[in-house]
Amino acid sequence: GDADMQNNVDDYFDEDEIVEMCEELYAEAGKCETNLGNQYPNENACNYIEGIKIVRQDGQVIRKAMVNSTVNKVIGGIAVSLLLLGAYVSHLKGRLDRAKVNINDEITY
């Protein structure tokens, strides 16, 4: 009855919202329309797409990504620093916990 009719109306309007959302996402998406013959091609993402180019060799899909050793070294350095910092914080927390135990042992009532 009325509930089914309301669901159909709601679904109809939901569909419009979904279509609009997809249109907005597509409009904002990075594109490389260099060879499509468009009068005003969008080439904003051509460099990015070239950097993650997928090439087929012998029927297999291979992802070629540019590897930057400097970036990898910086990320590795940050990771090691965070691990060392975490270990130091754990060490200090252990010392603080032991100090609290010692203070509590000396208090008598």
Side-chain angles (χ1 to χ4, degrees), residues 43-92:
E43 299 176 336
N44 293 334
C46 291
N47 288 337
Y48 174 75
I49 292 170
E50 185 66 26
I52 58 167
K53 191 177 203 175
I54 297 174
V55 180
R56 291 189 179 267
Q57 292 179 345
D58 301 332
Q60 294 183 347
V61 177
I62 298 172
R63 179 173 169 242
K64 285 188 172 180
M66 297 170 51
V67 178
N68 188 335
S69 63
T70 304
V71 171
N72 289 339
K73 288 177 185 175
V74 169
I75 291 171
I78 291 171
V80 169
S81 298
L82 288 173
L83 285 172
L84 291 174
L85 181 63
Y88 184 63
V89 167
S90 177
H91 170 73
L92 290 177

Short mmCIF file of all heavy atoms in Angstrom, two decimals, residues 43-92:
data_model
loop_
_atom_site.label_atom_id
_atom_site.label_comp_id
_atom_site.label_asym_id
_atom_site.label_seq_id
_atom_site.Cartn_x
_atom_site.Cartn_y
_atom_site.Cartn_z
N GLU A 43 43.88 17.68 -19.48
CA GLU A 43 45.17 16.99 -19.37
C GLU A 43 45.79 17.17 -17.99
O GLU A 43 46.99 17.04 -17.82
CB GLU A 43 46.10 17.50 -20.46
CG GLU A 43 45.57 17.23 -21.86
CD GLU A 43 46.44 17.81 -22.96
OE1 GLU A 43 47.18 18.78 -22.69
OE2 GLU A 43 46.36 17.31 -24.08
N ASN A 44 44.96 17.45 -16.98
CA ASN A 44 45.46 17.74 -15.65
C ASN A 44 46.17 16.57 -14.98
O ASN A 44 47.02 16.77 -14.13
CB ASN A 44 44.32 18.22 -14.75
CG ASN A 44 43.79 19.57 -15.18
OD1 ASN A 44 44.50 20.35 -15.80
ND2 ASN A 44 42.54 19.83 -14.89
N ALA A 45 45.81 15.35 -15.34
CA ALA A 45 46.38 14.19 -14.65
C ALA A 45 47.31 13.36 -15.54
O ALA A 45 47.66 12.24 -15.18
CB ALA A 45 45.26 13.31 -14.10
N CYS A 46 47.72 13.90 -16.66
CA CYS A 46 48.56 13.11 -17.59
C CYS A 46 49.88 12.68 -16.94
O CYS A 46 50.30 11.52 -17.10
CB CYS A 46 48.83 13.89 -18.86
SG CYS A 46 47.35 14.11 -19.90
N ASN A 47 50.54 13.56 -16.20
CA ASN A 47 51.80 13.20 -15.56
C ASN A 47 51.60 12.12 -14.51
O ASN A 47 52.39 11.19 -14.40
CB ASN A 47 52.46 14.43 -14.92
CG ASN A 47 53.02 15.37 -15.94
OD1 ASN A 47 53.33 14.98 -17.06
ND2 ASN A 47 53.15 16.63 -15.58
N TYR A 48 50.53 12.23 -13.73
CA TYR A 48 50.25 11.22 -12.70
C TYR A 48 49.98 9.86 -13.35
O TYR A 48 50.53 8.84 -12.93
CB TYR A 48 49.05 11.64 -11.86
CG TYR A 48 48.62 10.58 -10.88
CD1 TYR A 48 49.35 10.35 -9.73
CD2 TYR A 48 47.50 9.79 -11.13
CE1 TYR A 48 48.97 9.35 -8.84
CE2 TYR A 48 47.12 8.81 -10.25
CZ TYR A 48 47.86 8.60 -9.10
OH TYR A 48 47.49 7.61 -8.23
N ILE A 49 49.15 9.85 -14.37
CA ILE A 49 48.81 8.59 -15.04
C ILE A 49 50.05 7.98 -15.68
O ILE A 49 50.25 6.76 -15.64
CB ILE A 49 47.68 8.82 -16.06
CG1 ILE A 49 46.39 9.16 -15.32
CG2 ILE A 49 47.49 7.61 -16.96
CD1 ILE A 49 45.26 9.64 -16.20
N GLU A 50 50.91 8.79 -16.24
CA GLU A 50 52.15 8.28 -16.83
C GLU A 50 53.03 7.64 -15.76
O GLU A 50 53.70 6.64 -16.01
CB GLU A 50 52.91 9.41 -17.53
CG GLU A 50 54.16 8.97 -18.26
CD GLU A 50 53.87 8.07 -19.45
OE1 GLU A 50 52.79 8.14 -20.04
OE2 GLU A 50 54.77 7.27 -19.78
N GLY A 51 53.00 8.18 -14.55
CA GLY A 51 53.82 7.64 -13.46
C GLY A 51 53.36 6.28 -12.98
O GLY A 51 54.15 5.52 -12.42
N ILE A 52 52.08 5.93 -13.19
CA ILE A 52 51.59 4.62 -12.75
C ILE A 52 51.15 3.78 -13.95
O ILE A 52 50.28 2.94 -13.84
CB ILE A 52 50.42 4.77 -11.75
CG1 ILE A 52 49.28 5.57 -12.37
CG2 ILE A 52 50.88 5.41 -10.47
CD1 ILE A 52 48.00 5.49 -11.57
N LYS A 53 51.76 4.01 -15.06
CA LYS A 53 51.38 3.38 -16.32
C LYS A 53 51.30 1.86 -16.19
O LYS A 53 52.17 1.23 -15.60
CB LYS A 53 52.40 3.75 -17.38
CG LYS A 53 52.01 3.38 -18.76
CD LYS A 53 53.09 3.87 -19.71
CE LYS A 53 52.53 4.04 -21.09
NZ LYS A 53 53.52 4.62 -21.97
N ILE A 54 50.27 1.28 -16.77
CA ILE A 54 50.11 -0.17 -16.81
C ILE A 54 50.43 -0.63 -18.22
O ILE A 54 49.85 -0.15 -19.19
CB ILE A 54 48.69 -0.58 -16.40
CG1 ILE A 54 48.42 -0.18 -14.96
CG2 ILE A 54 48.47 -2.07 -16.60
CD1 ILE A 54 47.01 -0.41 -14.51
N VAL A 55 51.36 -1.55 -18.35
CA VAL A 55 51.83 -2.02 -19.64
C VAL A 55 51.57 -3.51 -19.74
O VAL A 55 51.82 -4.26 -18.80
CB VAL A 55 53.35 -1.75 -19.80
CG1 VAL A 55 53.84 -2.25 -21.15
CG2 VAL A 55 53.64 -0.27 -19.64
N ARG A 56 51.07 -3.98 -20.87
CA ARG A 56 50.85 -5.41 -21.07
C ARG A 56 52.06 -6.02 -21.77
O ARG A 56 52.49 -5.54 -22.81
CB ARG A 56 49.61 -5.66 -21.92
CG ARG A 56 48.33 -5.33 -21.24
CD ARG A 56 47.17 -5.82 -22.09
NE ARG A 56 45.92 -5.54 -21.46
CZ ARG A 56 45.28 -6.39 -20.67
NH1 ARG A 56 45.77 -7.57 -20.44
NH2 ARG A 56 44.14 -6.05 -20.11
N GLN A 57 52.60 -7.06 -21.17
CA GLN A 57 53.69 -7.82 -21.77
C GLN A 57 53.34 -9.29 -21.63
O GLN A 57 53.10 -9.77 -20.53
CB GLN A 57 55.02 -7.55 -21.07
CG GLN A 57 55.52 -6.14 -21.28
CD GLN A 57 56.83 -5.90 -20.55
OE1 GLN A 57 57.22 -6.65 -19.68
NE2 GLN A 57 57.50 -4.82 -20.90
N ASP A 58 53.30 -10.03 -22.73
CA ASP A 58 53.00 -11.46 -22.73
C ASP A 58 51.65 -11.76 -22.08
O ASP A 58 51.50 -12.75 -21.36
CB ASP A 58 54.11 -12.25 -22.03
CG ASP A 58 55.45 -12.06 -22.70
OD1 ASP A 58 55.46 -11.81 -23.93
OD2 ASP A 58 56.47 -12.16 -22.02
N GLY A 59 50.68 -10.88 -22.25
CA GLY A 59 49.34 -11.13 -21.72
C GLY A 59 49.18 -10.83 -20.25
O GLY A 59 48.11 -11.02 -19.70
N GLN A 60 50.21 -10.40 -19.58
CA GLN A 60 50.11 -10.08 -18.16
C GLN A 60 50.12 -8.57 -17.97
O GLN A 60 50.76 -7.85 -18.70
CB GLN A 60 51.27 -10.69 -17.38
CG GLN A 60 51.26 -12.19 -17.36
CD GLN A 60 52.38 -12.76 -16.50
OE1 GLN A 60 53.29 -12.03 -16.13
NE2 GLN A 60 52.30 -14.03 -16.21
N VAL A 61 49.39 -8.15 -16.97
CA VAL A 61 49.35 -6.72 -16.65
C VAL A 61 50.45 -6.44 -15.65
O VAL A 61 50.55 -7.07 -14.60
CB VAL A 61 47.98 -6.33 -16.06
CG1 VAL A 61 47.98 -4.87 -15.66
CG2 VAL A 61 46.89 -6.61 -17.07
N ILE A 62 51.29 -5.49 -15.99
CA ILE A 62 52.42 -5.13 -15.13
C ILE A 62 52.30 -3.66 -14.78
O ILE A 62 52.09 -2.82 -15.65
CB ILE A 62 53.76 -5.39 -15.84
CG1 ILE A 62 53.90 -6.88 -16.14
CG2 ILE A 62 54.92 -4.89 -15.01
CD1 ILE A 62 55.09 -7.21 -17.00
N ARG A 63 52.42 -3.35 -13.51
CA ARG A 63 52.35 -1.96 -13.06
C ARG A 63 53.76 -1.44 -12.92
O ARG A 63 54.55 -1.96 -12.15
CB ARG A 63 51.62 -1.88 -11.73
CG ARG A 63 51.54 -0.47 -11.22
CD ARG A 63 50.65 -0.41 -9.99
NE ARG A 63 50.81 0.89 -9.40
CZ ARG A 63 51.29 1.11 -8.19
NH1 ARG A 63 51.63 0.11 -7.43
NH2 ARG A 63 51.42 2.32 -7.73
N LYS A 64 54.05 -0.40 -13.67
CA LYS A 64 55.35 0.23 -13.56
C LYS A 64 55.20 1.48 -12.72
O LYS A 64 54.46 2.38 -13.07
CB LYS A 64 55.90 0.63 -14.93
CG LYS A 64 56.40 -0.51 -15.75
CD LYS A 64 57.08 0.02 -16.99
CE LYS A 64 57.75 -1.09 -17.72
NZ LYS A 64 58.43 -0.61 -18.92
N ALA A 65 55.86 1.52 -11.60
CA ALA A 65 55.80 2.70 -10.74
C ALA A 65 57.20 3.27 -10.61
O ALA A 65 58.17 2.53 -10.48
CB ALA A 65 55.25 2.33 -9.37
N MET A 66 57.28 4.56 -10.65
CA MET A 66 58.57 5.20 -10.49
C MET A 66 58.97 5.10 -9.01
O MET A 66 58.21 5.48 -8.13
CB MET A 66 58.50 6.66 -10.93
CG MET A 66 58.18 6.81 -12.39
SD MET A 66 57.80 8.49 -12.91
CE MET A 66 59.15 9.41 -12.28
N VAL A 67 60.14 4.58 -8.76
CA VAL A 67 60.61 4.40 -7.40
C VAL A 67 61.60 5.51 -7.09
O VAL A 67 62.56 5.71 -7.81
CB VAL A 67 61.28 3.02 -7.21
CG1 VAL A 67 61.80 2.86 -5.81
CG2 VAL A 67 60.30 1.92 -7.56
N ASN A 68 61.36 6.21 -6.03
CA ASN A 68 62.23 7.28 -5.63
C ASN A 68 62.94 6.85 -4.34
O ASN A 68 62.33 6.75 -3.29
CB ASN A 68 61.42 8.56 -5.41
CG ASN A 68 62.30 9.75 -5.19
OD1 ASN A 68 63.44 9.63 -4.74
ND2 ASN A 68 61.78 10.92 -5.49
N SER A 69 64.25 6.58 -4.45
CA SER A 69 64.98 6.06 -3.29
C SER A 69 65.06 7.09 -2.17
O SER A 69 65.10 6.72 -1.00
CB SER A 69 66.37 5.60 -3.71
OG SER A 69 67.12 6.69 -4.19
N THR A 70 65.09 8.36 -2.49
CA THR A 70 65.15 9.39 -1.46
C THR A 70 63.88 9.36 -0.60
O THR A 70 63.95 9.40 0.62
CB THR A 70 65.31 10.79 -2.09
OG1 THR A 70 66.47 10.78 -2.92
CG2 THR A 70 65.43 11.86 -1.04
N VAL A 71 62.74 9.25 -1.25
CA VAL A 71 61.48 9.18 -0.52
C VAL A 71 61.46 7.94 0.36
O VAL A 71 61.05 7.98 1.52
CB VAL A 71 60.28 9.20 -1.50
CG1 VAL A 71 58.98 8.91 -0.77
CG2 VAL A 71 60.20 10.52 -2.23
N ASN A 72 61.90 6.81 -0.19
CA ASN A 72 61.93 5.57 0.59
C ASN A 72 62.84 5.70 1.80
O ASN A 72 62.53 5.20 2.88
CB ASN A 72 62.36 4.39 -0.28
CG ASN A 72 61.30 4.00 -1.28
OD1 ASN A 72 60.12 4.31 -1.11
ND2 ASN A 72 61.70 3.32 -2.33
N LYS A 73 63.97 6.37 1.64
CA LYS A 73 64.90 6.56 2.76
C LYS A 73 64.28 7.45 3.83
O LYS A 73 64.43 7.19 5.03
CB LYS A 73 66.22 7.16 2.26
CG LYS A 73 67.05 6.18 1.47
CD LYS A 73 68.30 6.83 0.94
CE LYS A 73 69.07 5.87 0.04
NZ LYS A 73 70.22 6.50 -0.59
N VAL A 74 63.60 8.50 3.42
CA VAL A 74 62.96 9.40 4.39
C VAL A 74 61.86 8.66 5.15
O VAL A 74 61.78 8.74 6.38
CB VAL A 74 62.38 10.65 3.68
CG1 VAL A 74 61.49 11.45 4.61
CG2 VAL A 74 63.51 11.52 3.15
N ILE A 75 61.03 7.90 4.44
CA ILE A 75 59.97 7.13 5.09
C ILE A 75 60.57 6.11 6.05
O ILE A 75 60.09 5.93 7.17
CB ILE A 75 59.05 6.47 4.04
CG1 ILE A 75 58.25 7.53 3.31
CG2 ILE A 75 58.12 5.45 4.70
CD1 ILE A 75 57.47 7.02 2.12
N GLY A 76 61.64 5.44 5.62
CA GLY A 76 62.30 4.48 6.50
C GLY A 76 62.88 5.14 7.73
O GLY A 76 62.77 4.61 8.84
N GLY A 77 63.48 6.31 7.56
CA GLY A 77 64.04 7.05 8.69
C GLY A 77 62.96 7.46 9.68
O GLY A 77 63.14 7.37 10.89
N ILE A 78 61.83 7.91 9.17
CA ILE A 78 60.73 8.29 10.04
C ILE A 78 60.21 7.08 10.81
O ILE A 78 59.94 7.15 12.01
CB ILE A 78 59.60 8.97 9.23
CG1 ILE A 78 60.07 10.34 8.73
CG2 ILE A 78 58.32 9.11 10.05
CD1 ILE A 78 59.13 11.00 7.74
N ALA A 79 60.09 5.95 10.10
CA ALA A 79 59.59 4.72 10.75
C ALA A 79 60.53 4.28 11.87
O ALA A 79 60.09 3.95 12.98
CB ALA A 79 59.42 3.61 9.72
N VAL A 80 61.83 4.29 11.61
CA VAL A 80 62.81 3.89 12.63
C VAL A 80 62.76 4.87 13.81
O VAL A 80 62.80 4.46 14.97
CB VAL A 80 64.22 3.81 12.03
CG1 VAL A 80 65.28 3.67 13.10
CG2 VAL A 80 64.31 2.63 11.05
N SER A 81 62.66 6.16 13.51
CA SER A 81 62.59 7.17 14.57
C SER A 81 61.37 6.96 15.45
O SER A 81 61.45 7.05 16.68
CB SER A 81 62.53 8.58 13.96
OG SER A 81 63.71 8.84 13.23
N LEU A 82 60.23 6.66 14.83
CA LEU A 82 59.02 6.42 15.62
C LEU A 82 59.15 5.16 16.48
O LEU A 82 58.69 5.15 17.62
CB LEU A 82 57.80 6.31 14.69
CG LEU A 82 57.34 7.62 14.05
CD1 LEU A 82 56.24 7.35 13.03
CD2 LEU A 82 56.88 8.61 15.10
N LEU A 83 59.77 4.12 15.94
CA LEU A 83 59.99 2.91 16.74
C LEU A 83 60.89 3.19 17.93
O LEU A 83 60.61 2.75 19.05
CB LEU A 83 60.59 1.80 15.87
CG LEU A 83 59.63 1.11 14.91
CD1 LEU A 83 60.40 0.18 13.97
CD2 LEU A 83 58.58 0.34 15.66
N LEU A 84 61.97 3.93 17.71
CA LEU A 84 62.88 4.27 18.80
C LEU A 84 62.19 5.16 19.83
O LEU A 84 62.36 4.97 21.04
CB LEU A 84 64.14 4.95 18.26
CG LEU A 84 65.06 4.05 17.44
CD1 LEU A 84 66.19 4.87 16.83
CD2 LEU A 84 65.62 2.92 18.29
N LEU A 85 61.41 6.11 19.37
CA LEU A 85 60.68 6.99 20.28
C LEU A 85 59.69 6.18 21.12
O LEU A 85 59.58 6.40 22.33
CB LEU A 85 59.95 8.08 19.50
CG LEU A 85 59.16 9.10 20.32
CD1 LEU A 85 60.10 9.89 21.23
CD2 LEU A 85 58.40 10.03 19.40
N GLY A 86 58.99 5.24 20.48
CA GLY A 86 58.06 4.39 21.21
C GLY A 86 58.77 3.55 22.27
O GLY A 86 58.27 3.40 23.40
N ALA A 87 59.94 3.01 21.93
CA ALA A 87 60.70 2.22 22.89
C ALA A 87 61.15 3.09 24.06
O ALA A 87 61.10 2.67 25.22
CB ALA A 87 61.90 1.58 22.21
N TYR A 88 61.57 4.32 23.79
CA TYR A 88 62.02 5.22 24.84
C TYR A 88 60.86 5.61 25.76
O TYR A 88 61.00 5.64 26.98
CB TYR A 88 62.67 6.46 24.22
CG TYR A 88 63.26 7.41 25.23
CD1 TYR A 88 64.31 7.02 26.06
CD2 TYR A 88 62.77 8.70 25.37
CE1 TYR A 88 64.85 7.88 27.00
CE2 TYR A 88 63.30 9.58 26.30
CZ TYR A 88 64.34 9.16 27.12
OH TYR A 88 64.87 10.02 28.04
N VAL A 89 59.70 5.89 25.17
CA VAL A 89 58.52 6.23 25.97
C VAL A 89 58.15 5.05 26.86
O VAL A 89 57.82 5.22 28.05
CB VAL A 89 57.35 6.65 25.06
CG1 VAL A 89 56.03 6.70 25.82
CG2 VAL A 89 57.63 7.99 24.41
N SER A 90 58.20 3.84 26.31
CA SER A 90 57.90 2.65 27.10
C SER A 90 58.88 2.49 28.26
O SER A 90 58.50 2.17 29.38
CB SER A 90 57.94 1.42 26.19
OG SER A 90 57.72 0.25 26.93
N HIS A 91 60.16 2.75 27.98
CA HIS A 91 61.20 2.68 29.02
C HIS A 91 60.92 3.70 30.12
O HIS A 91 60.98 3.38 31.32
CB HIS A 91 62.57 2.93 28.39
CG HIS A 91 63.67 3.12 29.37
ND1 HIS A 91 64.18 2.08 30.10
CD2 HIS A 91 64.33 4.24 29.76
CE1 HIS A 91 65.13 2.55 30.90
NE2 HIS A 91 65.24 3.86 30.70
N LEU A 92 60.60 4.94 29.74
CA LEU A 92 60.31 5.97 30.74
C LEU A 92 59.06 5.64 31.54
O LEU A 92 59.02 5.87 32.76
CB LEU A 92 60.14 7.33 30.05
CG LEU A 92 61.42 7.95 29.47
CD1 LEU A 92 61.08 9.26 28.77
CD2 LEU A 92 62.47 8.15 30.55
#
